[in-house]
Amino acid sequence: MKNRQLALIAFVALSVAAPVHAVDNLAYFGFKAGLMDADASGHANPLNVGALFGYQFFDEPHGSGAVEGEFTTTLTKGDKDSGGKWGVDTLAVYFAYRTAGEVFLKLKAGVANQHITNTGGVPDGSTFAAGIGVGWKASRKAGIEFEGTAFDHLKFLSFGFYSYF
């Protein structure tokens, strides 16, 4: 009987506290998909998909700042004029800034590692990466983004969504 009462008290306490905690949570996740463009002739664009995780560390009247980690991988490889197919995986850490408002501008910059398969024209390795985009906050906890990111010898044009935990 005592265990049931403790379980009921814990359930009620979590039920009351969870919505308050969810509003104040600053961590978010998201998914994106888009086309990679290589700075090499004769390479068709592969379709990449990815996930991102972020932590918002400030939210001011003019905008918000966050640290984001992002991973993308090739879902559909791009054709090469010389034969064969190519793809790319990226792993990056960014500082991301979003302006205030329901419709917002996003700027990001950071370090990325790109691993490219089956192309001699684009090197692997770590590099500086930066991006710009626009988004729409559908609610306080979720939104969509359209952004372009430039890596060393690669560009990624993507569409995605994010949601706070």
Side-chain angles (χ1 to χ4, degrees):
M1 182 71 167
K2 198 170 201 175
N3 287 339
R4 282 184 166 173
Q5 289 173 338
L6 288 175
L8 180 61
I9 291 169
F11 176 76
V12 171
L14 287 173
S15 297
V16 171
V20 173
H21 180 67
V23 171
D24 293 334
N25 197 345
L26 302 176
Y28 58 92
F29 70 96
F31 297 99
K32 59 176 46 184
L35 297 175
M36 282 286 183
D37 181 29
D39 290 341
S41 62
H43 289 68
N45 299 338
L47 174 64
N48 268 44
V49 295
L52 66 94
F53 295 93
Y55 184 80
Q56 181 179 311
F57 58 88
F58 74 83
D59 188 11
E60 303 293 331
H62 57 76
S64 63
V67 173
E68 288 185 353
E70 179 181 292
F71 170 75
T72 71
T73 190
T74 300
L75 182 65
T76 304
K77 291 186 176 189
D79 292 324
K80 291 178 16 179
D81 287 349
S82 60
K85 295 187 177 285
W86 76 283
V88 59
D89 294 335
T90 64
L91 181 63
V93 176
Y94 300 106
F95 167 76
Y97 176 79
R98 292 175 178 88
T99 60
E102 187 175 312
V103 175
F104 60 89
L105 175 68
K106 178 181 179 182
L107 302 170
K108 69 180 185 180
V111 178
N113 185 279
Q114 56 191 31
H115 176 70
I116 299 147
T117 57
N118 200 23
T119 183
V122 183
D124 283 344
S126 296
T127 183
F128 174 78
I132 187 168
V134 294
W136 173 60
K137 293 178 186 170
S139 71
R140 282 189 51 186
K141 293 188 63 153
I144 58 173
E145 296 177 336
F146 178 74
E147 64 185 54
T149 306
F151 301 89
D152 188 29
H153 301 289
L154 289 172
K155 293 174 194 73
F156 183 42
L157 190 61
S158 65
F159 180 77
F161 82 93
Y162 68 91
S163 178
Y164 286 85
F165 286 82

